[in-house]
């Protein structure tokens, strides 16, 4: 494979990216051409929100092609376009052969939730101190244990073991929270997600961890539960407030994640008619909010 490397001003990043997509680039990445210099710019976005700009003042755009000929043809065609004014072709370079599976695996080590509870990829041996583990490999669905919101939910579950027998994981992703509940005493577990791929991933991950659960689309969520977990984002959590609270039995727990620290008050207000949410944990600007239903 070969990379086409371009220097692109901020205003041209979007049209150049669209053109590379039309030219059958396998992938396109954008980075700050001035990174690691005094001219470096910091661009920040938040979950559920677009980044403030399409690119940096001087962006390096790298497009991957199957062949050198395809990369050079794309460069020639781009240079003929009006929107390419101010851009420059920095070169075409071969991509070194690598063991991509091994490279990907090297990026995922066991994740500690508590000293005795770990998330362990299938190619790793569990740490000696691990008394409970979830076997989980990175896949198409969200939730590998590396994100603070996932870790906080799992920490809460571990800290409240044994959890009640009936658990609902709403927006299950990979199924990691449902599996975590099973590892800590839950027996009747329902995991739902709007994405069929997530539902299938949850089923497969449950099988790999030898736990029993029912996975399905959101309309499968019925009844009241001892514990309701929802690791989504603040906006859908506010919309779902009456539904999620209706699924929590009297005396049961509601655990919400995917919330930034600055969003705590709006979540408290959204859930106030049903439960009194409190911040139970915080990590890297994310918070965990929980309540016990009266």
């Amino acid at each position: 494979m070969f990379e086409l490397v371009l220097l692109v001003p901020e205003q041209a990043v979007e049209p150049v990216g669209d053109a590379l997509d039309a030219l059958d680039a396998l992938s396109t990445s954008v980075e700050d051409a001035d990174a690691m210099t005094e001219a470096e710019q910091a661009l920040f976005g938040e979950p559920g929100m677009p980044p403030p700009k399409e690119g940096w003042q001087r962006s390096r755009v790298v497009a991957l092609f199957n062949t050198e000929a395809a990369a050079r043809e794309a460069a020639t065609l781009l240079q003929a376009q009006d929107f390419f004014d101010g851009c420059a072709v920095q070169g075409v370079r071969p991509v070194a052969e690598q063991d991509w599976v091994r490279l990907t695996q090297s990026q995922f080590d066991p994740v500690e939730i508590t000293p005795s509870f770990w998330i362990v990829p299938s190619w790793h041996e569990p740490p000696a101190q691990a008394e409970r583990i979830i076997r989980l490999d990175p896949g198409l669905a969200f939730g590998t244990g590396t994100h603070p919101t996932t870790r906080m939910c799992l920490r809460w579950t571990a800290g409240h073991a044994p959890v009640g027998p009936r658990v609902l994981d709403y927006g299950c992703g990979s199924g990691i929270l449902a599996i975590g509940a099973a590892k800590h005493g839950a027996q009747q577990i329902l995991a739902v997600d709007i994405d069929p791929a997530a539902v299938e991933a949850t089923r497969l991950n449950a099988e790999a961890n030898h736990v029993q659960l029912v996975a399905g689309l959101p309309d499968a969520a019925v009844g009241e539960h001892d514990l309701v977990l929802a690791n989504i984002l603040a906006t859908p959590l506010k919309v779902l407030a009456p539904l999620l609270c209706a699924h929590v039995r009297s005396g049961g727990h509601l655990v919400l994640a995917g919330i930034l620290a600055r969003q705590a008050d709006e979540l408290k207000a959204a859930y106030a008619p049903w439960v009194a949410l409190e911040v139970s944990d915080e990590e890297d600007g994310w918070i965990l909010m929980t309540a016990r239903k009266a």
Side-chain angles (χ1 to χ4, degrees), residues 72-97:
R72 295 195 180 280
E73 182 182 9
T76 300
L77 291 170
L78 284 171
Q79 290 176 92
Q81 308 305 314
D82 292 340
F83 61 74
F84 204 72
D85 286 347
C87 304
V89 176
Q90 293 193 310
V92 173
R93 61 195 185 195
V95 177
E97 290 293 329

Side-chain angles (χ1 to χ4, degrees), residues 37-244:
T37 74
E38 291 184 358
E40 181 177 5
Q41 287 180 278
L43 296 184
F44 298 103
E46 293 180 351
M49 300 175 64
K53 297 179 181 179
E54 294 293 336
W56 291 265
Q57 290 179 4
R58 286 173 13 102
S59 293
R60 182 179 295 106
V61 177
V62 181
L64 185 66
F65 290 88
N66 268 323
T67 65
E68 182 179 6
R72 295 195 180 280
E73 182 182 9
T76 300
L77 291 170
L78 284 171
Q79 290 176 92
Q81 308 305 314
D82 292 340
F83 61 74
F84 204 72
D85 286 347
C87 304
V89 176
Q90 293 193 310
V92 173
R93 61 195 185 195
V95 177
E97 290 293 329
Q98 297 194 61
D99 185 338
W100 295 105
V101 171
R102 188 177 296 275
L103 179 63
T104 300
Q105 290 180 347
S106 70
Q107 299 171 6
F108 291 90
D109 291 324
V111 176
E112 179 181 350
I113 305 303
T114 72
S116 62
F117 180 33
W118 290 70
I119 312 301
V120 185
S122 61
W123 54 86
H124 278 282
E125 288 298 319
Q129 67 270 38
E131 298 173 7
R132 289 186 177 88
I133 67 167
I134 296 177
R135 285 289 190 184
L136 198 73
D137 296 342
L140 295 178
F142 174 81
T144 61
T146 58
H147 196 275
T149 60
T150 307
R151 289 198 299 271
M152 287 190 293
C153 288
L154 291 169
R155 272 203 302 267
W156 187 95
T157 300
H160 289 76
V163 298
R166 290 176 55 84
V167 172
L168 171 63
D169 179 2
Y170 201 97
C172 56
S174 67
I176 188 170
L177 301 186
I179 295 167
K183 297 284 185 175
H184 289 88
Q187 298 168 346
Q188 297 173 272
I189 305 164
L190 182 58
V192 301
D193 201 288
I194 61 172
D195 185 355
V199 173
E200 181 61 18
T202 294
R203 289 175 178 152
L204 293 174
N205 287 330
E207 289 177 9
N209 283 277
H210 311 291
V211 303
Q212 299 293 319
L213 56 76
V214 175
L217 298 175
D219 59 5
V222 295
E224 295 185 339
H225 303 264
D226 301 285
L227 170 61
V228 174
L229 299 153
N231 181 14
I232 315 177
L233 285 172
T235 297
L237 284 175
K238 287 190 289 186
V239 174
L240 290 167
L243 184 147
L244 293 177

